[in-house]
Amino acid sequence: MKIAFILPGNGRSGGVRCTVTSANLLIQKGHKVRIFYKKQGLRKRIKEYLTIENRQNSDWLPEFNGQTIPFSHIHNCSFQKGELIVGVGMWSSAQISTLSDSNPKLQYIHGLTPWAPDLMKTVIDTPISKIFVSTNDARYFEENNSQYLLGVVPNGIDLNNYFTEKNVEKNGWGLIYYDHNEAKDPKTIEAVIKQLTVKYNLPVNCFGTSKRPSILNSKQYTRYPSIDTCRKLYSQSEIWFLLSKSEGFPAPPLEAMACGCCVISTKCGGIRDIINNGKNGYLVEVGNVNQIIEKFDYLLSNKDICTQIQRRALETVKEFSWEKHIIKLEELLLKAI
């Protein structure tokens, strides 16, 4: 196959990372793959370059083993005859719907966008084949327009990168901090951080791509960490949080579970494909800070239960391999063509 993935941008996002991983695996299987990505404005690129400390960790695209092509407008992209055009995410999926019908197309939905209902409706209503990363998102589509649904392909996890490090004391907690994405619910994240840092004198192991928040000190927050650093921070944490309003198929909970964490997550998107509430982690209501803190208190007071959750979580992550992912993805890409 000849495949062109269309990304809304480059950077450190999960969508970019998963696309790069999938594209590399497709190349290994003999397919010809390219990645097109929307260029950021010059001012934004300069600003980010000047404010990022760990620049080598700020973008997943350099890990792609094929050709990457920036574009300012989708109609400026030059596609090869017969090349399957894959829009990754809502924005890109909407963009490819404006192209001519000379090439086969596929919308690869990495999460719903309830904050942009018009965009979501445009994509859902477009008569183009669709793949979803979570059953929750696919279920929403089935309720509205199931004719073009090809299937669900969960993302995988590399257990060579994520595992519990030896000789690391596990007694803290952590989460990924965001201040620029409403879907990640920064208000709830900050409220939980404030309450836990006041209530408990425990190590805090947070990281993210945003600037360090004032409520955390330099020892408690790492910006643009390497994979090795992420693994260490997970391994030091007894409990890990995902507090988003909306997600596709989030990787951090799987990474944390692989590193021996007990995950407390809000009920959003694909996390419900991962966590069986009370069995291998806990699910709480979106934005309910009191419920989040209560669940944290409960786990601290019941170490045996926390240990059982962590043990079951380690078994769960084995179900989500990149090998399974690429077999299913390749099958559906061929079906789309």
Side-chain angles (χ1 to χ4, degrees), residues 40-51 180:
Q40 297 175 342
L42 180 60
R43 181 176 297 179
K44 185 175 181 180
R45 280 182 281 164
I46 292 174
K47 182 179 179 181
E48 289 192 354
Y49 181 83
L50 293 175
T51 58
H180 57 280

Side-chain angles (χ1 to χ4, degrees), residues 10-11 20 56 58-65 68:
N10 59 332
V20 167
Q56 71 276 16
S58 65
D59 190 0
W60 295 116
L61 273 186
E63 297 189 12
F64 178 49
N65 296 325
T68 59

Side-chain angles (χ1 to χ4, degrees), residues 60-96:
W60 295 116
L61 273 186
E63 297 189 12
F64 178 49
N65 296 325
Q67 183 183 17
T68 59
I69 305 165
F71 67 90
S72 55
H73 194 285
I74 190 70
H75 290 276
N76 295 333
C77 298
S78 178
F79 300 107
Q80 299 170 4
K81 184 177 180 180
E83 189 171 32
L84 175 63
I85 303 172
V86 182
V88 180
M90 286 290 180
W91 183 86
S92 296
S93 292
Q95 291 292 304
I96 69 168

Side-chain angles (χ1 to χ4, degrees), residues 225-297:
S226 65
I227 291 176
D228 290 345
T229 299
C230 289
R231 182 176 63 246
K232 182 178 180 181
L233 295 173
Y234 286 135
S235 296
Q236 291 171 340
S237 303
E238 192 83 35
I239 298 169
W240 195 267
F241 294 100
L242 177 76
L243 305 177
S244 303
K245 291 180 181 179
S246 179
E247 288 282 353
F249 189 89
L254 278 177
E255 295 167 359
M257 292 162 75
C259 295
C261 299
C262 183
V263 171
I264 299 174
S265 173
T266 46
K267 299 175 185 176
C268 61
I271 190 65
R272 285 168 285 194
D273 290 347
I274 301 172
I275 290 183
N276 184 351
N277 190 34
K279 300 295 184 181
N280 61 352
Y282 286 99
L283 298 175
V284 297
E285 297 301 323
V286 170
N288 192 327
V289 176
N290 290 334
Q291 189 180 19
I292 294 164
I293 301 299
E294 287 172 4
K295 193 62 65 178
F296 184 86
D297 294 342

Side-chain angles (χ1 to χ4, degrees), residues 33-34 45 76 81 99 131 134 139 144 154 167 204 232 240 263 268 282 284 308 313 321 327 334:
V33 186
R34 302 189 293 169
R45 280 182 281 164
N76 295 333
K81 184 177 180 180
L99 297 172
I131 294 175
S134 77
R139 192 176 300 118
N144 291 272
N167 303 318
V204 181
K232 182 178 180 181
W240 195 267
V263 171
C268 61
Y282 286 99
V284 297
Q308 291 174 16
S321 68
I327 289 172
L334 284 166

Side-chain angles (χ1 to χ4, degrees), residues 18 22 108 131-135 151-157 249 254 270 273-274 319-322 324-326 328-329:
C18 292
S22 299
Y108 193 6
I131 294 175
F132 290 85
V133 294
S134 77
T135 56
V152 176
V153 186
N155 297 322
I157 180 171
F249 189 89
L254 278 177
D273 290 347
I274 301 172
E319 301 172 14
F320 296 95
S321 68
W322 282 113
K324 290 181 180 179
H325 163 89
I326 204 62
K328 183 65 173 178
L329 180 61

